[in-house]
């Protein structure tokens, strides 16, 4: 049924085309120079179409060049991304191989630190003067100027500054709050306690703790007299950078105690 309709449509279209051609021929059969006019019209049409074709070709070529440029840039970006991914994958593989060793080393370091802390925590307190077999009280260790100078020269710069803060605070009858050490760039409160405990064991100073604050109790005369001059002596014999570091610490302490 559909094929029959399609055939009828074809016949109808062919009849219409034939009728149009016939009407066109009857209308213009006696027009003079019809062939020349048609030729001229076709020539003009060809020229117009040729110009349009050239313009279209130029526009299409520009679009193709732009698309080609974008394609090249995209390809370069993909290559860079692929290289970055490859590099990252290589670093991840390297980390995966080395990570267990690093974690083992870190664990060993933490174990050693824990063992050292337990040793320090369980260490006995400095012994007090005891009686000998004859009943006499043994005299505590006596520190003279040579011994103090030798001991002071063995301290770290920060430990020197901690002792200087202790002495100056003792002069002014001031306690040392726990947060002062970090403010003055003296490492930490725990570090200062360790330094002062070691110095107290030698007998040159004595202190107490009250609600976390350090209360100076005693400081022998040689420390009172020599601390400032010894700091200046150390500054004169060390490197300029180290001298500047120690000078800055002392200046910060003086500014804190003398606002």
């Amino acid at each position: 049924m559909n094929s029959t309709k399609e055939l009828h449509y074809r016949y109808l279209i062919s009849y219409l085309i034939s009728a149009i051609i016939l009407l066109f021929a009857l209308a213009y059969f006696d027009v003079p120079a019809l062939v020349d006019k048609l030729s001229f019209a076709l020539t003009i049409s060809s020229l117009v179409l040729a110009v349009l074709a050239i313009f279209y070709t130029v526009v299409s070529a520009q679009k193709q060049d732009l698309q080609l440029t974008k394609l090249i840039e995209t390809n370069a970006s993909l290559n860079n991304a692929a290289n970055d991914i490859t590099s990252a994958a290589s670093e991840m593989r390297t980390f995966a191989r080395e990570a267990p060793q690093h974690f083992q080393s870190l664990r060993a370091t933490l174990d050693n630190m824990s063992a050292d802390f337990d040793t320090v925590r369980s260490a006995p307190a400095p012994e007090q003067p005891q009686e000998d077999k004859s009943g006499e009280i043994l005299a505590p260790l006596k520190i003279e100027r040579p011994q103090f100078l030798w001991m002071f020269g063995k301290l770290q710069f920060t430990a020197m500054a901690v002792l200087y803060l202790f002495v100056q605070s003792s002069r002014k009858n001031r306690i040392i709050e726990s947060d002062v050490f970090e403010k003055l760039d003296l490492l930490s409160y725990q570090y200062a306690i360790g330094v002062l405990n070691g110095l107290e064991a030698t007998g040159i100073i004595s202190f107490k703790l009250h609600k976390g604050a350090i209360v100076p109790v005693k400081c022998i005369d040689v420390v009172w007299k020599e601390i400032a001059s010894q700091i200046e002596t150390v500054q004169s014999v060390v490197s300029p950078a180290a001298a500047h570091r120690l000078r800055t610490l002392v200046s910060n302490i003086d500014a804190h105690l003398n606002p």
Side-chain angles (χ1 to χ4, degrees), residues 1 3 9 44 54 98 104 149 191 209 224 251 255:
M1 185 68 179
S3 60
Y9 288 150
I44 296 299
I54 293 172
E98 297 179 356
Q104 290 177 0
L149 299 184
Y191 173 83
L209 297 178
W224 282 69
S251 298

Side-chain angles (χ1 to χ4, degrees), residues 163 166 196 199-207 218-220 223:
L163 179 58
F166 181 89
L196 296 178
L199 296 174
E200 187 179 38
T202 65
I204 65 174
I205 65 169
S206 178
F207 68 94
K218 183 189 74 172
C219 184
I220 64 175
V223 179

Side-chain angles (χ1 to χ4, degrees), residues 7-237:
L7 180 61
H8 291 320
Y9 288 150
R10 289 181 181 179
Y11 284 141
L12 181 59
I13 292 172
S14 62
Y15 293 154
L16 289 174
I17 292 174
S18 300
I20 291 172
I21 293 173
L22 179 60
L23 292 173
F24 184 80
L26 293 174
Y28 296 100
F29 76 95
D30 59 346
V31 176
L34 179 61
V35 176
D36 295 335
K37 292 179 180 180
L38 289 175
S39 299
F40 178 75
L42 294 174
T43 301
I44 296 299
S45 300
S46 299
L47 291 174
V48 172
L49 292 175
V51 172
L52 292 175
I54 293 172
F55 179 75
Y56 178 78
T57 302
V58 172
V59 173
S60 299
Q62 291 179 350
K63 291 183 178 180
Q64 289 178 356
D65 291 339
L66 182 61
Q67 292 177 353
L68 180 61
T69 302
K70 291 183 178 179
L71 182 61
I72 293 173
E73 293 176 353
T74 303
N75 187 34
S77 300
L78 290 175
N79 289 333
N80 293 333
N83 293 333
D84 293 340
I85 292 173
T86 302
S87 178
S90 178
E91 292 178 358
M92 291 178 65
R93 287 194 296 268
T94 302
F95 175 78
R97 290 195 300 267
E98 297 179 356
Q101 299 177 359
H102 290 297
F103 285 128
Q104 290 177 0
S105 177
L106 179 61
R107 181 176 181 181
T109 302
L110 292 176
D111 290 341
N112 292 333
M113 291 176 63
S114 178
D116 293 340
F117 177 76
D118 292 339
T119 301
V120 173
R121 185 174 58 182
S122 60
E127 296 183 358
Q128 301 296 327
Q130 298 178 355
E131 295 184 358
D132 60 6
K133 294 181 180 179
S134 63
E136 297 180 356
I137 298 177
L138 298 176
L141 180 63
K142 188 175 182 180
I143 301 295
E144 301 291 346
R145 183 176 185 274
Q147 290 83 6
F148 171 70
L149 299 184
W150 178 86
M151 180 178 61
F152 187 80
K154 298 297 182 180
L155 295 177
Q156 296 178 343
F157 292 158
T158 307
M160 294 179 183
V162 169
L163 179 58
Y164 180 79
L165 173 62
F166 181 89
V167 173
Q168 296 302 100
S169 299
S170 178
R171 290 181 190 274
K172 297 180 178 295
N173 294 320
R174 293 183 55 176
I175 64 174
I176 307 173
E177 299 292 344
S178 58
D179 60 345
V180 168
F181 300 98
E182 292 187 3
K183 291 180 180 179
L184 299 178
D185 196 20
L186 299 176
L187 294 183
S188 65
Y189 172 75
Q190 291 78 9
Y191 173 83
I193 291 294
V195 171
L196 296 178
N197 275 329
L199 296 174
E200 187 179 38
T202 65
I204 65 174
I205 65 169
S206 178
F207 68 94
K208 294 181 179 179
L209 297 178
H210 177 68
K211 296 181 178 180
I214 299 174
V215 182
V217 175
K218 183 189 74 172
C219 184
I220 64 175
D221 291 339
V222 66
V223 179
W224 282 69
K225 296 176 181 178
E226 298 292 339
I227 183 70
S229 61
Q230 286 307 305
I231 287 179
E232 293 180 357
T233 301
V234 171
Q235 292 176 2
S236 64
V237 297

